[in-house]
Amino acid sequence: MSCVQRLEIKLKRPNAIFETWLEHWLQVAERRNSKSRYKLREALNALKMYPLPLASGRECGILRGFGPALCQLIDNEMHKEQHKAQAVAANNNRYQNEIRNVVESVKKNKRKQKDKQTKLTKKERKALEEKQRHSKEVIMQPRTFRIKLIVDTQETSGKHKRLLDQTRSYLECLKVDYEVRRLTVGDFLWLACDQEGNELVLPYIVERKRMDDLSSSIRDGRFHEQKHRLNQCDIPNVIYLIEDYGENEHLGLPIENLQQALINTLIQNRFSVAHTKNHSRSIAYLQGLTQILIRTYKDKVLKSCANVDMARVSQSSKTEMSLLKFKSLNEDSARNAQLTVKELFILQLLQLHSLSLEKSLAIATIYPTPRFLIDAYKECKSLQDAQKLLANIRFGQLQRPVGSKISQSLHDFYTNEF
């Protein structure tokens, strides 16, 4: 295999104009003996070490020492001095052109070289074939495929031997065509499989929760994380299958709280919620849904599509359907694979007591990362102002404030050293 050449391009002062402004503000702060001089010096050092050109104050927010106020100050300065803003844009364009020229030069030199073609190993050849197969469009004609239920491995294993094969035995008794695999999202879904080994995912996925498991997942934050991943998996029809736990006593949370969580799931997340008395009734529900899906899709033409084309699913005709490949779904739905820093910050907030999803979203809208929040705390004039920083943030349809108690708790959490 040909050796990959790594290029390193460095500018001497990629953000010279911003550095000049910061140096001037730092001099003023030092003359006035202002506390802001420490933050300005920290920001200036971070800017000098950053190797890429930045186009605005907002982009500077990724660097240490740049809080919301300092980022806004840079943007205001750019607005006042339009000619310098144009110089910043020209600097960025020049940097991009230099990179493009170097890359093109390397490519040209590579084409001139006569590299010997090395034979692919068996492993590399198999990987290449798998990649080509993965990108190839799949078309399944009516009645040339079978539909089977896919069961997550977690649903067929357990700590107690009595429950080890319970799901399997119920499915076999009901004569359901099923297969056990590891799913990165959901507990049950359905595949259309043809004789060539192609697999397309039908647009339905089920997350099963027993009432005691629902309670524990709400308390430890898994409930919101799982709903987020189900929202991101590009399967339009999500079903929460809720099982009773005996008489639903000693669940760890009041039954009213669990019912409210399910109502929120139904209304806010637009998931379907089904309720069964026990595990055997849940499997019977899945068996009935399997038969409905077989009748619905057996006479359709099924075509594969990429995640970005999933909007076509809702626009499919009565005789044709666009579906995801199973491998694409499993790869793209791996835990945290698509979480941004903001989304991880929201999940972190959800672990804290009394913070709902609506409150967390409202806080993250103003302070999208922990760094923005901590910098905002540092810029407060007094400890009391810092503790009340988040108190008046509005959330939800009723636009209620977050409150001083939660604001103080978050301040203590993010400013104290443990």
Side-chain angles (χ1 to χ4, degrees):
M1 297 295 289
S2 60
C3 181
V4 178
Q5 183 177 359
R6 180 171 180 173
L7 303 178
E8 186 173 357
I9 303 172
K10 288 185 177 180
L11 297 179
K12 292 183 178 179
R13 293 186 69 193
N15 299 288
I17 295 177
F18 292 169
E19 288 180 22
T20 302
W21 290 344
L22 284 173
E23 288 169 353
H24 172 69
W25 295 333
L26 177 59
Q27 290 174 1
V28 173
E30 287 177 341
R31 284 200 303 269
R32 296 177 179 175
N33 201 27
S34 173
K35 291 183 179 180
S36 63
R37 66 183 186 275
Y38 304 110
K39 184 60 65 177
L40 286 168
R41 187 177 295 111
E42 182 183 28
L44 180 59
N45 290 335
L47 185 63
K48 287 180 177 179
M49 294 175 63
Y50 193 69
L52 303 177
L54 298 166
S56 65
R58 183 173 181 80
E59 288 190 7
C60 294
I62 62 174
L63 301 180
R64 191 173 187 86
F66 284 86
L70 184 55
C71 292
Q72 186 62 47
L73 188 61
I74 291 175
D75 285 336
N76 293 341
E77 196 71 14
M78 291 183 69
H79 184 70
K80 292 178 184 176
E81 300 186 40
Q82 289 294 334
H83 64 285
K84 290 191 177 180
Q86 293 171 359
V88 171
N91 183 49
N92 289 342
N93 292 335
R94 187 172 64 255
Y95 178 73
Q96 295 295 333
N97 289 334
E98 289 177 358
I99 292 178
R100 196 176 297 110
N101 291 337
V102 172
V103 171
E104 288 299 323
S105 176
V106 172
K107 286 182 177 179
K108 188 176 180 180
N109 291 334
K110 283 288 182 182
R111 283 194 294 266
K112 290 180 179 179
Q113 295 175 2
K114 294 181 179 179
D115 294 331
K116 293 182 179 180
Q117 297 294 327
T118 58
K119 279 189 176 182
L120 293 175
T121 64
K122 186 176 180 180
K123 185 176 180 180
E124 290 169 339
R125 187 165 57 251
K126 186 177 180 181
L128 182 61
E129 291 172 356
E130 185 68 24
K131 185 177 180 180
Q132 291 173 346
R133 181 183 171 189
H134 188 60
S135 60
K136 185 182 70 174
E137 184 181 22
V138 175
I139 300 178
M140 299 182 185
Q141 298 299 329
R143 296 180 181 270
T144 62
F145 54 85
R146 65 189 181 99
I147 292 175
K148 63 181 177 182
L149 174 66
I150 302 299
V151 184
D152 185 31
T153 52
Q154 295 297 321
E155 292 296 314
T156 59
S157 61
K159 295 180 181 178
H160 304 287
K161 188 175 180 180
R162 182 175 60 87
L163 300 175
L164 187 62
D165 290 323
Q166 193 177 69
T167 302
R168 286 177 178 266
S169 62
Y170 286 149
L171 289 169
E172 289 166 2
C173 287
L174 294 171
K175 298 181 179 180
V176 177
D177 185 7
Y178 77 95
E179 184 177 340
V180 178
R181 298 190 194 179
R182 181 181 177 276
L183 299 177
T184 54
V185 62
D187 296 321
F188 303 92
L189 53 78
W190 289 264
L191 296 183
C193 311
D194 64 11
Q195 294 181 349
E196 296 179 5
N198 298 310
E199 298 175 328
L200 299 180
V201 184
L202 299 188
Y204 292 86
I205 188 168
V206 175
E207 177 75 26
R208 185 182 73 89
K209 287 284 183 193
R210 207 169 63 179
M211 289 294 277
D212 58 329
D213 183 34
L214 175 64
S215 173
S216 63
S217 67
I218 290 174
R219 284 181 293 167
D220 62 22
R222 285 184 296 116
F223 184 58
H224 295 294
E225 182 200 6
Q226 288 168 346
K227 287 198 296 183
H228 171 81
R229 290 194 292 119
L230 286 166
N231 263 325
Q232 296 292 316
C233 75
D234 289 320
I235 296 181
N237 302 295
V238 180
I239 302 170
Y240 255 82
L241 183 57
I242 306 300
E243 283 181 20
D244 284 341
Y245 178 59
E247 297 298 324
N248 290 330
E249 297 177 344
H250 311 295
L251 298 176
L253 285 176
I255 189 69
E256 294 81 9
N257 290 21
L258 301 182
Q259 290 171 344
Q260 184 62 55
L262 294 175
I263 291 172
N264 293 343
T265 300
L266 181 66
I267 296 174
Q268 296 178 358
N269 300 106
R270 301 183 183 277
F271 293 170
S272 299
V273 177
H275 192 185
T276 60
K277 289 291 184 182
N278 50 47
H279 190 50
S280 62
R281 296 285 181 89
S282 296
I283 302 302
Y285 173 85
L286 293 171
Q287 186 262 352
L289 190 51
T290 302
Q291 295 302 317
I292 293 173
L293 293 176
I294 291 173
R295 290 196 299 268
T296 302
Y297 291 98
K298 66 180 181 179
D299 295 321
K300 290 181 179 291
V301 176
L302 305 183
K303 294 184 177 181
S304 64
C305 69
N307 296 36
V308 293
D309 299 325
M310 279 304 291
R312 291 162 49 196
V313 171
S314 59
Q315 301 171 356
S316 299
S317 65
K318 292 182 179 180
T319 59
E320 187 176 303
M321 198 74 179
S322 297
L323 302 172
L324 277 174
K325 291 181 181 179
F326 175 69
K327 188 168 183 179
S328 298
L329 172 72
N330 243 17
E331 290 174 353
D332 295 341
S333 300
R335 186 185 300 268
N336 291 338
Q338 298 183 11
L339 291 182
T340 63
V341 176
K342 181 178 179 180
E343 290 166 342
L344 286 171
F345 182 40
I346 292 171
L347 290 177
Q348 185 183 58
L349 291 174
L350 287 171
Q351 307 303 312
L352 304 177
H353 182 65
S354 300
L355 269 172
S356 64
L357 181 60
E358 288 182 334
K359 293 176 184 177
S360 302
L361 287 171
I363 292 170
T365 300
I366 300 174
Y367 304 103
T369 67
R371 171 55 55 79
F372 272 94
L373 181 58
I374 292 170
D375 286 344
Y377 283 139
K378 291 180 180 178
E379 292 180 2
C380 291
K381 296 180 179 179
S382 65
L383 176 63
Q384 188 175 11
D385 289 344
Q387 290 175 340
K388 293 182 178 179
L389 179 67
L390 308 178
N392 293 322
I393 293 178
R394 304 282 171 172
F395 70 94
Q397 294 181 348
L398 299 178
Q399 291 295 291
R400 291 177 293 182
V402 169
S404 57
K405 187 175 181 180
I406 291 178
S407 179
Q408 183 173 348
S409 298
L410 283 174
H411 171 267
D412 295 341
F413 180 79
Y414 283 104
T415 57
N416 290 339
E417 294 185 2
F418 296 96

